[in-house]
Amino acid sequence: FCILIFAFCVLNCSAQNLVPNPSFEDTVVCPDNSAEIEYSTGWINFGVTPDYFNVCSTSPFVSVPNNWAGYQQPASGNAYAAIYSKELPNINAREYIGIRLSDTLQVNTTYYISFKASLALGGVLKPNCATNKLGALFTTYPFYYDGNPPNAQYYVKNFAHIFTDQLITDSAGWTTISDSFVVDSAYQYIVIGNFFVDSLTSSFKYFDNGYSDCASYYFIDDVYVSESPDAVSEINNEGSLNIQYSENIISVEINSLATAAKNSEIKIYNLLGGLVFSKIFDKKSITFNINNLSKGLYVIYLQNDNRIFTKKIIK
């Protein structure tokens, strides 16, 4: 019994998370509508109308796991937040959430950061695409971005302390975004969102839902900041899917980490979003020839048991 307590203490001391309420579990009051991120204890609205979802809610719009953005189980606990990484109708419209850290970051010290994101596709909200550039920015002060020009020049500065260049496409599970950096200022706040302009943000539109452009919405959970990397772990979608391309041959393999291969669907889109190939298959692997396609950039889209994966290739 004493040994277990000692081990628990060592783990917590060496991996102290400076983010209070990192999984959005603690509530000021249960959410009952949209734009209520501040109902999650300590969390702040840094831009537009970010949302808060909790199992304690009696509203079907912001409950867990079913809500107005679709269906998602929390990465841990009973709650999560959500933001638009690309929103309509304004150019560079974003949503941001943030929180004051439990301690000021120390200059010239390396910190490890991670958070989990899951793409929302469906529900009443009907977001329709995936993006990259989701990341975390550290600041010495709180700010508010209303999503309207010219405010983008102040907050969408094409910089974040950590971010991903990969499209975040998993809509069934959670993708971990993580990295480390050496602190250059006495930062007190962490802010999560997309800090890059539309022209530098890659996106992939899955379907036409009436929007003329891309609207991308992500659930957020398990935010971590510490001098220790203990709680930081990468989750790579490609661990469950392997796509190889060589000399007009595309090979897709779903390995044992993925769920059943039954009724998997593969599609290929050209740069303009036109569908150029589509096939449903029920095996763990498939190989096909794209010799008939012209040279250019293509996006391979694969859906397997409600998980969505994408990969870009150049022919």
Side-chain angles (χ1 to χ4, degrees):
F1 181 73
C2 293
I3 293 175
L4 290 176
I5 291 178
F6 176 75
F8 177 79
C9 180
V10 170
L11 178 61
N12 276 287
C13 292
S14 64
Q16 181 185 5
N17 189 357
L18 298 181
V19 180
N21 197 16
S23 301
F24 306 93
E25 305 302 315
D26 298 333
T27 61
V28 177
V29 63
C30 290
D32 59 7
N33 211 330
S34 61
E36 294 179 339
I37 186 59
E38 289 167 322
Y39 284 12
S40 182
T41 305
W43 285 92
I44 304 169
N45 177 358
F46 275 70
V48 195
T49 58
D51 300 313
Y52 176 44
F53 302 88
N54 195 303
V55 71
C56 69
S57 176
T58 58
S59 168
F61 293 109
V62 289
S63 187
V64 171
N66 291 297
N67 50 63
W68 72 332
Y71 175 92
Q72 183 55 267
Q73 293 285 356
S76 65
N78 299 306
Y80 44 75
I83 56 175
Y84 274 102
S85 65
K86 192 174 187 297
E87 187 177 18
L88 299 174
N90 293 328
I91 296 173
N92 301 328
R94 309 280 185 263
E95 289 184 335
Y96 301 110
I97 58 172
I99 194 168
R100 182 164 185 155
L101 302 172
S102 60
D103 197 5
T104 301
L105 300 190
Q106 300 301 305
V107 175
N108 295 326
T109 301
T110 299
Y111 285 84
Y112 298 86
I113 303 95
S114 74
F115 65 91
K116 296 178 180 178
S118 181
L119 177 65
L121 285 175
V124 177
L125 194 61
K126 294 183 178 179
N128 64 347
C129 77
T131 60
N132 65 353
K133 301 298 185 183
L134 197 60
L137 177 75
F138 290 85
T139 73
T140 57
Y141 60 93
F143 64 79
Y144 180 77
Y145 166 56
D146 64 11
N148 295 312
N151 287 343
Q153 65 182 307
Y154 299 111
Y155 303 123
V156 188
K157 292 185 174 182
N158 303 322
F159 171 80
H161 289 95
I162 73 161
F163 63 91
T164 177
D165 277 323
Q166 292 184 329
L167 291 172
I168 305 171
T169 60
D170 194 345
S171 60
W174 292 85
T175 299
T176 299
I177 300 165
S178 66
D179 207 343
S180 64
F181 80 110
V182 178
V183 172
D184 59 355
S185 296
Y187 296 121
Q188 296 178 301
Y189 295 86
I190 181 174
V191 187
I192 294 174
N194 174 12
F195 298 90
F196 292 79
V197 295
D198 286 352
S199 60
L200 296 178
T201 299
S202 297
S203 61
F204 180 73
K205 191 174 181 180
Y206 288 106
F207 53 84
D208 185 1
N209 63 352
Y211 291 142
S212 60
D213 198 2
C214 165
S216 186
Y217 188 79
Y218 287 93
F219 299 118
I220 305 294
D221 206 354
D222 289 354
V223 186
Y224 177 85
V225 177
S226 177
E227 292 183 56
S228 169
D230 289 355
V232 177
S233 61
E234 287 287 351
I235 298 176
N236 190 337
N237 288 341
E238 294 181 0
S240 297
L241 175 71
N242 183 26
I243 296 178
Q244 299 293 331
Y245 169 67
S246 178
E247 299 181 354
N248 291 321
I249 301 297
I250 293 178
S251 299
V252 178
E253 182 179 2
I254 302 171
N255 67 26
S256 60
L257 295 178
T259 51
K262 186 177 181 180
N263 294 328
S264 296
E265 182 177 16
I266 190 164
K267 297 179 180 179
I268 300 179
Y269 294 86
N270 61 24
L271 189 59
L272 299 178
L275 180 65
V276 296
F277 180 89
S278 177
K279 186 176 182 64
I280 295 175
F281 62 101
D282 58 4
K283 299 179 180 179
K284 283 287 187 179
S285 63
I286 182 174
T287 300
F288 53 92
N289 193 305
I290 58 169
N291 186 56
N292 62 319
L293 299 183
S294 59
K295 292 183 178 180
L297 176 67
Y298 294 90
V299 177
I300 302 175
Y301 164 109
L302 186 140
Q303 182 167 355
N304 165 252
D305 192 32
N306 294 321
R307 288 179 179 268
I308 295 173
F309 306 90
T310 61
K311 182 180 180 68
K312 291 182 180 179
I313 63 168
I314 298 177
K315 182 176 185 292

